[in-house]
């Protein structure tokens, strides 16, 4: 395939003003419903907020760009703020991410919990003195090859340092269809793997007609997560 886009033709996916060209899917809700105004634009940035929620109730959400990509270099900055929403699982504290090669959100069922996709996971330190790298890989409904063999776990830690809550972090994701994938944090390559395909567990509630274990994932949608952490 073609190499990722060069510096001269970057395409902004977010216009800094509104969620034009983006599409929401939240667990327990129909595609297109931005329950509780979870995803919103404030101060020229996309924010995840839970001020219109009561209990979290496993309402895991994803904000998808409107069209799929195959070969790309994605750049963004993120930070964590506030407190974990009441009722959200403990593992989602200071935890979010960007999904790629995700299935079409308009074809997801109301009760599907996560998209079949690969995740570049973002974490912040828990202020307990223990390392908590960011730019990790997680694989809802997918498999990857790491160091020459299929990786058996669901998440794979990167080699990044630990970053604190409220700290802006620069993340980059370079994807060559179903070939090589690189995770970059603040300019350093922190994880590299290859050959994403459909398979594994974690995802529930999907349309069984789309489930094709072993099928290479060569393209798909990019989505930002809401898992309970502002």
């Amino acid at each position: 395939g073609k190499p990722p886009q060069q510096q001269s033709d970057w395409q902004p996916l977010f216009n800094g003003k509104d969620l034009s060209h983006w599409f929401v899917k939240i667990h327990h809700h129909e595609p297109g419903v931005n329950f509780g105004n979870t995803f919103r634009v404030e101060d020229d940035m996309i924010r995840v907020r839970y001020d219109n929620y009561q209990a979290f109730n496993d309402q895991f959400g994803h904000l998808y760009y409107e069209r799929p990509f195959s070969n790309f270099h994605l750049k963004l900055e993120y930070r964590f703020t506030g407190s974990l929403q009441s009722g959200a699982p403990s593992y989602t504290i200071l935890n979010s991410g960007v999904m790629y090669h995700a299935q079409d959100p308009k074809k997801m069922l109301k009760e599907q919990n996560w998209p079949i996709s690969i995740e570049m996971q973002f974490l912040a330190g828990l202020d307990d003195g223990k390392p908590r790298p960011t730019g990790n890989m997680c694989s809802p409904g997918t498999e990857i090859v790491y160091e020459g063999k299929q990786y058996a776990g669901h998440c794979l830690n990167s080699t990044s340092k630990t970053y604190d809550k409220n700290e802006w972090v620069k993340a980059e994701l370079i994807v060559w269809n179903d070939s090589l994938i690189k995770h970059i944090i603040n300019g350093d390559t922190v994880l590299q793997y290859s050959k994403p395909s459909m398979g594994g567990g974690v995802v529930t509630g999907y349309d069984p007609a789309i489930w094709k274990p072993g099928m290479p994932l060569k393209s798909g949608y990019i989505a930002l997560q809401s898992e309970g952490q502002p």
Side-chain angles (χ1 to χ4, degrees), residues 16-17 37 44-45 50 58 69 92 115 121 126 135 170 183 200-201 203 224:
K17 299 180 294 185
N37 196 26
D44 306 318
M45 68 186 83
Y50 298 98
D58 287 343
F69 293 89
T92 63
Q121 182 192 55
L126 298 175
K170 294 180 179 180
H183 293 190
V203 176
L224 307 176

Side-chain angles (χ1 to χ4, degrees), residues 125-143:
L126 298 175
D127 206 22
D128 57 4
K130 297 179 181 178
R132 200 173 190 232
T134 191
N136 309 311
M137 185 287 308
C138 294
S139 54
T142 52
E143 308 275 11

Side-chain angles (χ1 to χ4, degrees), residues 113 117 119 212 221:
N113 55 356
S117 57
E119 175 188 356
K212 299 176 181 177
Y221 291 81

Side-chain angles (χ1 to χ4, degrees), residues 141-156:
T142 52
E143 308 275 11
I144 63 148
V145 170
Y146 178 64
E147 295 184 339
K149 59 184 179 181
Q150 185 169 300
Y151 182 67
H154 170 55
C155 289
L156 174 63

